[in-house]
Amino acid sequence: MKKLISERDNKEKEGKGNADMTKTGSIPAPNFIRNIIAEDLKANKNEGRVITRFPPEPNGYLHIGHAKSICLNFGLAAENEGGLCNLRFDDTNPIKEENEYVKSIKEDVRWLGFDWEDRLFYASDYFEQMYQYAVQLIKAGKAYVCDLNADETREYRGTLTEPGKDSPYRNRSIDENLDLFESMRAGKFDNGSRTLRAKIDMASPNLNMRDPVMYRILRAKHHRTGDKWCIYPMYDWAHGLEDSTEGITHSVCTLEFEDHRPLYDWFLNELNVYHPQQIEFARLNLTYTVMSKRKLLELVEHGYVTGWNDPRMPTISGLRRRGYTPESIRNFCDRIGVAKRDSIVDIALLEHCLREDLNKSAQRVMGVLRPLKVIIDNYPEDKVEELEAINNPEDPNMGTRKVPFSRVLYIEREDFRDDPPKKFFRLAPGREVRLRYAYYITCVGVVRDEKTGEVIELHCTYDPKTRGGDSPDGRKVKATLHWVSAAHSLKAEVRLYDHLFIEANPGEAKDAGDYKSYLNPDSLQRLTSCRVEPSLAGAAPGSRYQFERQGYFCVDSVDSSDDILVFNRTVSLRDSWAKIEKTQKQKS
Ligand code: ATP
Ligand code: MG
């Protein structure tokens, strides 16, 4: 199990500086990769160029882990004068890759706020060049065509404790290899019947160096090259060449590729081509979710979620639909920093970054999720008042709006208790509370369902002298409730989300094996009889609001319509991160 670490922990261990610097967005926090680049620039390595890339494989939608890599790579380019970052699709496996993914990845990178300008590349554009490089290695006696099938190749490979065995085809002549490789390309052999392999060392302690496969025979339609090729380069052969071809100076990747670096080095040295510098960093893991594309695809394909953009998914498109802002995700990526050691970040930190942003930008409105009818007995039947409400106390420039008040209202069911426990200061029989922006009201009667005894309606009186929410006689009340006018409010559906998993680290939980057994059965709750204030009529899909006292919500971009408004709860108001941070501070 990975150690659960906090932001501060991480920064201290990696020798990072003042976390506040990242918050302003002006000076990026130092990290070990920034330090390497700064040193390189000082030494005028690469003639002072900084060229990075983000190299997704188009076999799924991007997730928050990819956002870390995107922010890092585009960030490193942006903060160095003349720095560039390419977007490159690593499309070497036609079986799993699709144009839909290419499209979504471009959309997500753009939405996050990054621009690859004219530097959009595809590994498939280099297939011919890669083929020529392979021929070059064959001519140098460094690659051979092998007739072992997949199982045999695995058997010959050996294990971590045992060396491998040389393939019986290892010592074919250069001419024979050239001829066979050409025939492979020409489609003369069956799928999987032959491979091209690098001739390195079957006894190497590093399994990646045991004559790795460079090409396989595979008849599969590629989303860009169609049926042009029936041999496809393996990832390890292709990846370093792509970086080299594009002149990438700093090839930033995740830790699992550390063991592959000697192989990339070998290929580039044998070919005698430009050699980028590879730097590995720890991938982002987040509590209560999974981040592997294979698992996310499984959740989509088996209907555990409604799609890649389900608001519970850690995908960029899911987070966007949920109501996350690009700013909050970029800020999160800044704050988690970059380390050389695997860890898992508390999802509460991501939510904290979101609240921080929405608190500044989201308009306040009133919405009642579980309505309870309130009748103000002494309020005239046909009177309607327009009360002034503040749009955002954090930002006076956002102005005010009018909210209608009338005799019949809805308040939140949980804001009333028949028999209030200690410290419950909200409405109860005989008790006076404030209605936000409106009046003080006192509960004078409770109507119950005859059969079930359930409270179905409250009768109250209001004090006309308290208009706006204050009493001229200085009388205090202990609670302020949100409300809507029954006749003026709009019907809405509200979707409340909880973590997708009940286990903090479902990918690694030991017992029960399958991560899917940790899916949270209550991750989605649909409330279908909500009421929101009339100013929300026609609210644009994706627009974000704070429902006072409830949390941040956004108009669902898929299911909301003119007929029925649908809101996603983006995040509640309660900040669990602030609490976690406080306890951490007390402990240290
Ligand atoms: P998976 O392992 O789930 O298939 P991947 O790493 O293979 O994902 P890619 O499309 O190859 O997915 O990723 C593109 C880039 O994003 C790579 O450079 C990869 O290292 C980086 N990346 C992927 N996941 C994370 C993560 N959780 N944290 C940081 N960077 C990541
Ligand atoms: Mg990958």
Side-chain angles (χ1 to χ4, degrees):
M1 175 95 174
K2 282 161 197 147
K3 186 176 173 259
L4 208 80
I5 59 158
S6 74
E7 172 195 21
R8 281 176 54 239
D9 228 16
N10 199 0
K11 284 200 163 39
E12 276 161 18
K13 298 263 163 54
E14 300 300 322
K16 288 190 194 81
N18 185 352
D20 285 334
M21 284 202 311
T22 56
K23 262 186 233 159
T24 66
S26 50
I27 312 163
N31 65 45
F32 79 100
I33 301 182
R34 289 201 167 101
N35 295 345
I36 292 173
I37 292 182
E39 289 298 314
D40 288 350
L41 288 175
K42 242 193 262 165
N44 200 34
K45 199 174 160 186
N46 307 306
E47 291 85 42
R49 277 172 295 126
V50 175
I51 306 179
T52 58
R53 85 289 177 261
F54 173 63
E57 185 184 350
N59 61 351
Y61 281 60
L62 296 182
H63 53 58
I64 181 81
H66 292 114
K68 174 176 180 179
S69 175
I70 293 167
C71 291
L72 180 60
N73 280 294
F74 280 93
L76 290 169
E79 70 206 33
N80 288 291
E81 211 184 303
L84 301 173
C85 180
N86 299 348
L87 174 62
R88 181 209 310 141
F89 287 99
D90 216 327
D91 54 350
T92 54
N93 182 2
I95 298 172
K96 293 189 172 163
E97 296 161 5
E98 280 172 39
N99 212 23
E100 177 197 343
Y101 298 136
V102 171
K103 218 175 122 227
S104 75
I105 290 170
K106 288 202 259 182
E107 185 184 352
D108 289 349
V109 174
R110 251 190 231 115
W111 179 78
L112 278 173
F114 299 102
D115 187 0
W116 55 88
E117 296 168 328
D118 57 351
R119 295 176 311 284
L120 174 63
F121 301 114
Y122 293 86
S124 52
D125 286 342
Y126 312 141
F127 280 175
E128 183 61 40
Q129 171 73 67
M130 288 175 193
Y131 180 85
Q132 296 306 331
Y133 279 142
V135 169
Q136 190 182 325
L137 282 193
I138 296 173
K139 285 182 176 164
K142 299 289 183 182
Y144 62 96
V145 173
C146 179
D147 300 359
L148 296 180
N149 64 28
D151 287 339
E152 292 162 340
T153 307
R154 209 171 301 121
E155 248 169 63
Y156 274 71
R157 199 163 177 235
T159 63
L160 280 173
T161 49
E162 281 167 54
K165 277 189 301 187
D166 282 2
S167 158
Y169 308 96
R170 198 172 198 262
N171 294 314
R172 277 179 162 147
S173 73
I174 289 174
D175 283 342
E176 192 186 358
N177 280 320
L178 285 173
D179 188 50
L180 284 171
F181 188 47
E182 206 181 304
S183 298
M184 275 171 65
R185 176 180 183 167
K188 293 191 182 156
F189 307 125
D190 288 344
N191 285 351
S193 62
R194 287 189 160 93
T195 57
L196 183 75
R197 299 176 67 179
K199 196 168 177 177
I200 309 179
D201 178 7
M202 288 307 292
S204 170
N206 183 343
L207 266 70
N208 296 309
M209 302 297 275
R210 295 186 186 169
D211 291 12
V213 172
M214 295 161 60
Y215 277 94
R216 55 179 172 157
I217 304 174
L218 176 68
R219 283 165 183 83
K221 201 180 188 74
H222 187 281
H223 67 104
R224 296 191 76 242
T225 59
D227 294 319
K228 182 168 180 213
W229 294 88
C230 66
I231 56 172
Y232 286 96
M234 301 302 288
Y235 181 87
D236 277 349
W237 162 243
H239 194 77
L241 295 180
E242 295 158 23
D243 284 342
S244 171
T245 301
E246 290 173 20
I248 302 302
T249 56
H250 300 84
S251 167
V252 179
C253 63
T254 37
L255 283 181
E256 71 271 22
F257 293 105
E258 202 163 12
D259 291 346
H260 299 240
R261 178 152 37 95
L263 176 57
Y264 303 160
D265 289 344
W266 188 90
F267 282 137
L268 297 173
N269 289 340
E270 293 299 333
L271 291 167
N272 196 22
V273 292
Y274 170 73
H275 201 144
Q277 175 182 1
Q278 175 169 313
I279 308 168
E280 303 89 8
F281 71 99
R283 60 171 52 227
L284 168 67
N285 299 294
L286 202 57
T287 56
Y288 299 103
T289 192
V290 291
M291 214 87 91
S292 122
K293 278 193 275 190
R294 182 183 62 76
K295 288 176 185 159
L296 294 175
L297 178 65
E298 194 178 7
L299 294 179
V300 172
E301 284 189 331
H302 295 269
Y304 293 103
V305 293
T306 56
W308 285 97
N309 67 346
D310 187 300
R312 292 166 291 178
M313 290 280 270
T315 51
I316 306 296
S317 50
L319 296 171
R320 174 167 63 234
R321 184 170 165 196
R322 172 89 167 247
Y324 273 76
T325 59
E327 292 78 9
S328 64
I329 295 176
R330 290 198 303 264
N331 192 249
F332 168 75
C333 291
D334 254 0
R335 287 166 90 154
I336 54 175
V338 182
K340 227 8 196 171
R341 176 174 59 102
D342 269 319
S343 64
I344 180 160
V345 174
D346 200 312
I347 199 166
L349 176 60
L350 179 62
E351 293 172 347
H352 173 79
C353 293
L354 177 62
R355 279 188 199 97
E356 214 173 53
D357 189 27
L358 292 178
N359 182 41
K360 284 181 288 174
S361 59
Q363 183 185 320
R364 274 56 170 170
V365 292
M366 290 194 283
V368 175
L369 302 190
R370 297 169 182 89
L372 174 61
K373 191 182 259 183
V374 172
I375 296 160
I376 313 286
D377 292 337
N378 61 339
Y379 197 86
E381 201 132 343
D382 44 10
K383 184 173 172 178
V384 179
E385 283 179 90
E386 295 281 334
L387 301 173
E388 178 130 321
I390 296 168
N391 284 339
N392 187 346
E394 301 287 317
D395 181 2
N397 290 328
M398 286 176 73
T400 60
R401 68 186 186 288
K402 300 284 188 203
V403 185
F405 183 87
S406 65
R407 187 167 191 265
V408 184
L409 311 169
Y410 289 118
I411 64 164
E412 209 67 61
R413 189 162 277 278
E414 65 180 25
D415 282 339
F416 173 79
R417 286 288 187 90
D418 233 349
D419 185 14
K422 245 193 190 163
K423 292 197 177 165
F424 183 90
F425 300 119
R426 293 170 265 169
L427 202 57
R431 174 148 330 143
E432 185 172 50
V433 298
R434 175 189 295 112
L435 292 181
R436 181 86 157 140
Y437 302 121
Y439 294 99
Y440 284 13
I441 59 165
T442 305
C443 180
V444 293
V446 180
V447 179
R448 287 188 182 75
D449 183 291
E450 273 179 18
K451 285 201 196 99
T452 63
E454 191 198 9
V455 175
I456 48 174
E457 193 175 292
L458 301 179
H459 285 263
C460 295
T461 56
Y462 85 115
D463 176 354
K465 291 196 289 298
T466 58
R467 193 178 199 265
D470 284 302
S471 167
D473 65 8
R475 181 166 101 244
K476 294 270 182 272
V477 287
K478 280 194 171 156
T480 302
L481 310 187
H482 62 276
W483 53 274
V484 294
S485 160
H488 303 87
S489 61
L490 310 171
K491 272 194 180 158
E493 173 178 331
V494 170
R495 297 173 183 174
L496 304 178
Y497 300 102
D498 195 357
H499 297 145
L500 190 49
F501 291 90
I502 47 174
E503 182 73 34
N505 198 348
E508 290 207 348
K510 278 195 189 67
D511 41 318
D514 186 7
Y515 73 98
K516 292 196 293 304
S517 60
Y518 299 109
L519 276 163
N520 179 0
D522 302 317
S523 59
L524 167 63
Q525 195 185 351
R526 292 169 70 153
L527 305 177
T528 51
S529 48
C530 313
R531 292 279 181 165
V532 297
E533 64 168 70
S535 73
L536 286 167
S543 45
R544 306 176 181 92
Y545 299 90
Q546 184 194 99
F547 287 8
E548 293 207 26
R549 301 177 64 229
Q550 295 286 2
Y552 295 98
F553 294 76
C554 84
V555 180
D556 187 71
S557 52
V558 177
D559 295 331
S560 197
S561 68
D562 289 344
D563 299 335
I564 179 82
L565 277 165
V566 179
F567 289 92
N568 296 313
R569 184 171 68 192
T570 310
V571 68
S572 67
L573 288 178
R574 202 180 49 245
D575 190 343
S576 44
W577 177 253
K579 216 168 130 192
I580 294 168
E581 205 172 33
K582 207 170 143 198
T583 7
Q584 277 169 353
K585 273 191 188 133
Q586 281 163 355
K587 275 192 207 149
S588 62

